[in-house]
Every structure is written in C-alpha cells, then in structure tokens.
C-alpha cells in the first residue's frame, strides 16, 4: 500500500516541468481571479488552495473508481495470475511515465493525442463550472487532457483495490501541488528549477527506478 502512494507521489513530483508547461496558465488565472486584477498574496493562495483541493479530490475519485474496476477484474479470474500481470504492467506504466517526464514521446505522442480527443467532449460541457469559483475551476482543471493522468489512473486500476487506487491518485495530486502553487504565486526561481533538463532526467530516472523496484520487491 505504501509503494502505491509513493509511486503516485513520485510521479506527481516528477511531473513538475510538464505541469508548468501544460497547466501554468490555468494556475495563474485561478490565482488572479475572474477580473485578472487580484494582487493580494493571501487571496491568491486561498483561490489556488480551493482549486487544488477540488482537483486532487477528483483525482482521488478517479483512483477509487479505477481501483474498483481492477478489483472486479481480479475477482473474475485467478488472483495470482492477475497480480503477476498487474505487477509487470504497473512497472511498464511507471517507465512510460518516466519517459513522458523526460519529454521522450510515448508511442509517438499518440497517448496524449488520443486522451485529448476522448476528453474534449467532456471538458467542453464543463466550462460552466467556472460559475462555482475556484472549486469549479479546479474540477475542470482535473479533467484537462494529460498523458500522465491517464497513465497514473491506469496504474491505479492495476492495484486491484479501490483504497490503493485512491492512494495512487492522492499521491499523484499532492506531488503536483508545489510547482503549480509556485507558479500561481509567482515564484519564478522554482519555476526555472522545475524546467531544468537535469531535474527532468533525474525525475524520470526516479520513476524508472521505482518501476524496477516494483518488480524486484515482489520477487524477493
């Protein structure tokens, strides 16, 4: 159970550069408010906190649902066989996430493009949630097309448990918070650090190392 949360957390922390590129503008808009003139740091932080909590809550729900689906699949076939397949698939998902963080296209970028096409009809119908303020925007934010979200949700399903699936996505959501908070509040130094090539390589390597550990730890 701990390794599932750790996998999600490492993936979230590792995705900082990716998050800044894809979601930085959203974080800034939420922090500034509808009029774009809000400057008080406390109010910006409050708006960001509400949106982040809504986004992470949505990830948690996705993880629980994915884990429940995985549990249903496991229950319908021999548990040992499912666990063996799930373990190796989980390792492959972490490797794919590591490549994504290092900006090495996965399957030529088709994963992200396919996810964007599937999510587009949903996000178009959710634009009205901005009326609910930062919380509504946070829910829309959580459904933005993102290859890493798809990969980690799939990983959550492979746990075969709603609880463990939820922990994966909770860890992932929490891991993405520091970089996005920094961007929304204008912390330029942390933004530049998150974009550094060496850090992306280190983060991607950490995910690949975790994938190796996922396989080794179960064979001991």
């Amino acid at each position: 159970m701990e390794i599932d949360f750790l996998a999600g957390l490492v993936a979230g922390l590792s995705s900082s550069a990716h998050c800044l590129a894809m979601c930085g503008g959203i974080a800034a808009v939420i922090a500034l408010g509808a009029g774009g003139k809000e400057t008080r740091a406390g109010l910006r932080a409050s708006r960001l906190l509400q949106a982040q909590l809504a986004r992470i809550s949505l990830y948690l729900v996705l993880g629980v649902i994915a884990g429940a689906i995985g549990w249903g699949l496991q229950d319908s076939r021999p548990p040992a066989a499912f666990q063996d397949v799930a373990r190796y698939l989980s390792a492959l998902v972490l490797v794919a996430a590591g490549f994504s963080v290092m900006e090495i296209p996965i399957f030529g970028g088709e994963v992200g493009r396919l996810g964007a096409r599937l999510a587009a009809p949903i996000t178009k119908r959710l634009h009205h949630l901005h009326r609910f303020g930062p919380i509504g925007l946070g829910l829309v934010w959580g459904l933005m097309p993102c290859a890493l979200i798809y990969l980690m949700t799939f990983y959550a399903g492979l746990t075969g448990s709603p609880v463990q699936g939820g922990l994966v996505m909770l860890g992932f959501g929490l891991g993405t918070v520091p970089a996005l908070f920094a961007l929304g509040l204008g912390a330029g130094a942390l933004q530049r650090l998150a974009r550094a090539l060496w850090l992306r390589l280190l983060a991607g390597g950490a995910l690949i190392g975790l994938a190796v550990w996922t396989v080794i730890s179960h064979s001991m």
Side-chain angles (χ1 to χ4, degrees), residues 124-190:
K124 284 180 181 177
R125 287 170 174 76
L126 291 175
H127 64 87
H128 62 279
L129 285 176
H130 74 275
R131 299 173 186 171
F132 296 95
I135 292 177
L137 288 170
L139 293 174
V140 176
W141 190 359
L143 290 171
M144 292 293 289
C146 174
L148 279 170
I149 294 175
Y150 307 145
L151 286 169
M152 295 315 297
T153 303
F154 183 60
Y155 182 97
L158 292 172
T159 65
S161 163
V163 173
Q164 290 174 240
L167 284 173
V168 168
M169 295 307 287
L170 176 63
F172 177 73
L174 291 174
T176 62
V177 167
L180 292 175
F181 241 104
L183 182 64
L185 297 178
L190 187 55

Side-chain angles (χ1 to χ4, degrees), residues 27-50:
V29 168
I30 291 173
L32 290 172
K37 297 180 180 179
E38 199 57 67
T39 56
R40 283 194 300 162
L43 193 50
R44 291 202 306 271
S46 175
R47 292 178 59 85
L48 275 173
L49 179 61
Q50 293 176 63

Side-chain angles (χ1 to χ4, degrees), residues 7 15 26 29 35 55 92 103 107-108 116 136 141-142 145 149 157 163-164 184 193 196 212:
S15 67
I26 300 173
V29 168
R55 181 175 63 86
L92 286 175
E103 298 186 355
F107 305 118
W141 190 359
I149 294 175
V163 173
Q164 290 174 240
L193 176 63
V212 174

Side-chain angles (χ1 to χ4, degrees), residues 53-77:
L53 287 175
R55 181 175 63 86
I56 294 170
S57 297
L58 180 60
Y59 290 168
L60 177 61
V61 171
L62 290 175
V64 170
I65 293 172
I69 293 172
W71 175 79
L73 292 173
Q74 176 177 315
D75 197 47
S76 65
R77 61 192 62 195

